[in-house]
Amino acid sequence: MVRTPLTPEERQRGECLGALLRQARGERSMAEIAAAAGVSAETLRKIETGRAPTPAFFTVAALATALKLSLDDLSTACTQESTWPEQALSA
């Protein structure tokens, strides 16, 4: 199966998601959050750095739960063109 290349907007949303997760993680270790979410630390690293810009829904949901984030807030923050992590989680 050939995967369709991502659009610039999809890449930007992935970068925003990764930055939001990284910000929410704060001082907690990547391994701690990954374990709490039931994903590998490498998966979390790829999402946070934007190398996995379109993670599976259940991965995002598990990470949001581990970080006590609302999926609605993540979705809104990553679909608003002008919103970046600094403003998104403080709203």
Side-chain angles (χ1 to χ4, degrees):
M1 178 168 78
V2 176
R3 184 175 176 152
T4 306
L6 298 176
T7 65
E9 292 81 16
E10 290 169 325
R11 289 198 177 282
Q12 184 177 15
R13 281 195 307 264
E15 290 171 6
C16 180
L17 174 64
L20 287 167
L21 295 176
R22 173 64 190 100
Q23 179 183 347
R25 184 164 59 84
E27 296 298 316
R28 293 174 286 181
S29 75
M30 197 173 282
E32 174 188 346
I33 298 304
V39 301
S40 72
E42 182 60 21
T43 296
L44 179 54
R45 181 177 294 108
K46 286 179 181 178
I47 295 168
E48 284 187 0
T49 61
R51 290 186 319 177
T54 58
F57 170 78
F58 292 104
T59 300
V60 175
L63 289 167
T65 299
L67 293 165
K68 298 182 179 17
L69 295 173
S70 158
L71 287 173
D72 287 337
D73 291 343
L74 283 175
S75 174
T76 299
C78 291
T79 56
Q80 291 177 353
E81 209 170 295
S82 63
T83 301
W84 280 98
E86 300 79 42
Q87 299 88 20
L89 292 178
S90 61

